[in-house]
Every structure is written in C-alpha cells, then in structure tokens.
Amino acid sequence: MSTMELTKRQEHILQIVKDNGPITGEHIADQLNLTRATLRPDLAILTMAGYLDARPRVGYFYTGKTETQLLTDNLKKLLVGDYQSIPVVVSEGVTVYDAICTMFLEDVGTLFVVDKESLLVGVLSRKDLLRASLGKQDLTTIPVHIIMTRMPNITVCTKEDYLIDVAEKLIEKQIDALPIVKQTDKGYEVVGRITKTNITKAFVALASDNG
C-alpha cells in the first residue's frame, strides 16, 4: 500500500503530523474539525502503508520515508513460499534426449534431477542440454547425470527465504531458477522452484498493489 494515491484528507493529516508530531489522534481530529471515529480509517491506512507510526500514549509521528523507501521496505518482506512454482523434476537415469523433450513440453528453462529417493542430486539448464547437443553423441544413450551440475555446486533456497535475496543469487550466479528445498535426514527434497519470471511477477504485483 506504500505508493498508493492519498486522498486530500490523508495528505492533510500527513502534513499535520509532519508539523506537529508526535500528536494524538484527538488533536489531529480537532485540527480538521472531525470526530476521532471519522479519522480512524485514514490513520489506519497511513500507518499500515508506513507513512505514519504510532506509539501508545505518545501519538502519531511521521516516519520520514519516501514512497520509494516504503516500496523497498515491502519488497524486502516478500517470501519465496508466496511466489513459488511447481518444480519440474527428472530422474538421474533419464537420457539427455528425454530431458530436452521434458524441458520443451513443460516450457521451463531448468530441470531438477533427483535420485531414487527423490532427493536433489543435480540441476540441468538450457545451456547444459545445448552444450551436450552440439557434439555428435547419441543423445538417447547419454544419461543426464553425466552433464548435470551436481551437489554441492547447486544453489538452493527455502520457502522462508526472502525473494530479494534469491533475486540477488540468480543475478550473482547468472542462472534462471533455484530449487526450493526442504532439508531431510538424507538430503534435500525439492518442494518447489523460484524463477526470474516468478520474481518479475511478484515485483509487478507489488507495484500494482501500491499503484
């Protein structure tokens, strides 16, 4: 709600708090010749949006944050688990040809490779499969475990991670997606995926909500 359009009354409230804060709701209402009850929704919106803060027995005060700073604050609160996609998983024994078909049919840029116990053992990117296709090998006979990126060289994340941190990892590693994992006694279980597209959608949604 941080970059929302404020009403004239909300802008007036902000100015009063900037000039006089900390100030109680009653005193703000007096200056506007309104009842406290009439003002309550506006104060709630301004507080929830981050423009104002409130302290018991002290009153309201202006946070001093710009709309950009407030949007950034909201951005830093987004969690991976709220924006994840279903992972596309293949067995480590499937062939490169089958993996290419799966990637094409599922319309994804990354496949996660699991072992017989459904634990993460590798990742296949478009680049990995393209590189394997450039030679003269028979792709129907090459298992993906030969060309995949293996543990522990795989960057992972959890549902509880912040989306902004994952975005930084994707940029740093120059990759398109991360597996979302759950730690088990035997290893990592793949429970989701987070991609550049997921993150872009999340940022657009946040901007739309705040527009």
Side-chain angles (χ1 to χ4, degrees):
M1 298 176 67
S2 45
T3 58
M4 64 186 186
E5 287 291 324
L6 299 180
T7 66
K8 291 291 183 184
R9 186 161 73 193
Q10 289 164 356
E11 289 177 353
H12 196 174
I13 292 169
L14 274 185
Q15 194 58 52
I16 290 172
V17 178
K18 282 182 189 178
D19 295 340
N20 303 286
I23 181 172
T24 65
E26 285 75 16
H27 287 140
I28 297 172
D30 288 344
Q31 291 202 32
L32 292 170
N33 292 318
L34 296 169
T35 65
R36 177 75 172 84
T38 301
L39 213 57
R40 190 171 290 119
D42 292 316
L43 290 172
I45 288 169
L46 291 170
T47 303
M48 286 168 58
Y51 288 109
L52 299 181
D53 206 345
R55 290 181 186 158
R57 295 184 296 279
V58 174
Y60 294 91
F61 58 93
Y62 182 59
T63 62
K65 292 184 177 180
T66 64
E67 290 187 348
T68 300
Q69 289 171 321
L70 293 169
L71 183 59
T72 301
D73 287 348
N74 283 344
L75 192 60
K76 291 179 178 178
K77 296 174 185 175
L78 301 182
L79 296 177
V80 165
D82 294 327
Y83 296 94
Q84 68 182 51
S85 296
I86 297 170
V88 181
V89 173
V90 296
S91 164
E92 60 184 333
V94 304
T95 66
V96 171
Y97 177 81
D98 288 336
I100 292 172
C101 291
T102 300
M103 185 173 282
F104 177 77
L105 292 171
E106 296 288 346
D107 193 22
V108 294
T110 307
L111 299 175
F112 305 122
V113 186
V114 297
D115 62 15
K116 292 177 181 178
E117 296 184 323
S118 297
L119 299 175
L120 180 67
V121 292
V123 169
L124 286 167
S125 68
R126 282 197 186 100
K127 289 179 182 177
D128 294 327
L129 296 175
L130 179 60
R131 197 178 298 117
S133 303
L134 293 177
K136 294 184 178 181
Q137 306 103 310
D138 181 358
L139 301 182
T140 61
T141 63
I142 304 171
V144 292
H145 68 76
I146 291 178
I147 67 164
M148 70 186 185
T149 300
R150 294 175 169 275
M151 295 294 285
N153 300 316
I154 300 173
T155 304
V156 301
C157 65
T158 69
K159 289 184 176 185
E160 292 75 31
D161 287 338
Y162 289 110
L163 211 57
I164 191 69
D165 293 334
V166 171
E168 289 175 353
K169 287 181 181 179
L170 291 176
I171 293 169
E172 177 192 343
K173 303 286 185 180
Q174 296 184 336
I175 53 180
D176 294 327
L178 289 185
I180 304 170
V181 299
K182 181 171 72 174
Q183 178 77 60
T184 70
D185 293 338
K186 296 181 179 179
Y188 288 130
E189 178 187 342
V190 182
V191 295
R193 68 184 165 109
I194 195 80
T195 68
K196 287 180 179 178
T197 302
N198 294 136
I199 292 171
T200 302
K201 286 179 179 177
F203 292 172
V204 169
L206 180 65
S208 298
D209 288 345
N210 295 309

